[in-house]
Amino acid sequence: QVQLVESGGGSVQAGGSLRLSCVASGYAYNGIYNRACMAWFRQAPGKEREGVAGIYLGDGKTTYAAFVKGRFTLSQDNNKNTLYLQMNNLKPEDTAMYYCAAERNSRCNTLNDRNFDFWGQGTQVTVSS
């Protein structure tokens, strides 16, 4: 089993920044490392969950949704098994619950939440105008 724990959410004004963290642990995580896609999803009230950004652990290649390109940056700290999402120039429409997820044997070619195997509990991001 893989455990994913998110943190870093909060409330900011439009134009502000937040950095989300996702710490991965568990014996199974060590088994899938380098062959998995780790990603951030978000879900706003009344809306479907959508992919935000993903990283293929094998080579560090990242993919971003069009609505966050140039504003959000994904990075990882391998020593700490931690995935980060730096979010700059936040907008009210970025308000949502943000989830960290892992998909085994995936290169992050698509961010389809139905394919992801492990999920964190989420961290709330609220952006006021």
Side-chain angles (χ1 to χ4, degrees), residues 64-93:
Y64 295 93
F67 54 79
V68 301
K69 280 185 178 179
R71 300 190 299 125
F72 292 9
T73 303
L74 200 57
S75 62
Q76 59 178 324
D77 183 335
N78 292 336
N79 291 332
K80 298 180 180 179
N81 290 346
T82 303
L83 182 69
Y84 300 102
L85 183 67
Q86 177 67 43
M87 305 187 296
N88 298 327
N89 191 23
L90 283 162
K91 304 175 181 180
E93 52 263 42

Side-chain angles (χ1 to χ4, degrees), residues 32-104:
I32 68 173
Y33 193 73
N34 286 339
R35 301 192 306 276
C37 169
M38 289 195 70
W40 288 95
F41 288 81
R42 70 184 188 185
Q43 188 168 23
K47 295 188 177 181
E48 293 186 352
R49 188 160 52 189
E50 59 184 356
V52 176
I55 184 168
Y56 174 53
L57 299 183
D59 59 13
K61 183 179 178 181
T62 55
T63 184
Y64 295 93
F67 54 79
V68 301
K69 280 185 178 179
R71 300 190 299 125
F72 292 9
T73 303
L74 200 57
S75 62
Q76 59 178 324
D77 183 335
N78 292 336
N79 291 332
K80 298 180 180 179
N81 290 346
T82 303
L83 182 69
Y84 300 102
L85 183 67
Q86 177 67 43
M87 305 187 296
N88 298 327
N89 191 23
L90 283 162
K91 304 175 181 180
E93 52 263 42
D94 294 318
T95 295
M97 184 70 80
Y98 283 71
Y99 298 91
C100 179
E103 179 183 3
R104 292 171 290 192

Side-chain angles (χ1 to χ4, degrees), residues 17-38:
S17 298
L18 285 172
R19 187 176 80 159
L20 305 185
S21 300
C22 171
V23 179
S25 62
Y27 176 81
Y29 176 79
N30 293 319
I32 68 173
Y33 193 73
N34 286 339
R35 301 192 306 276
C37 169
M38 289 195 70

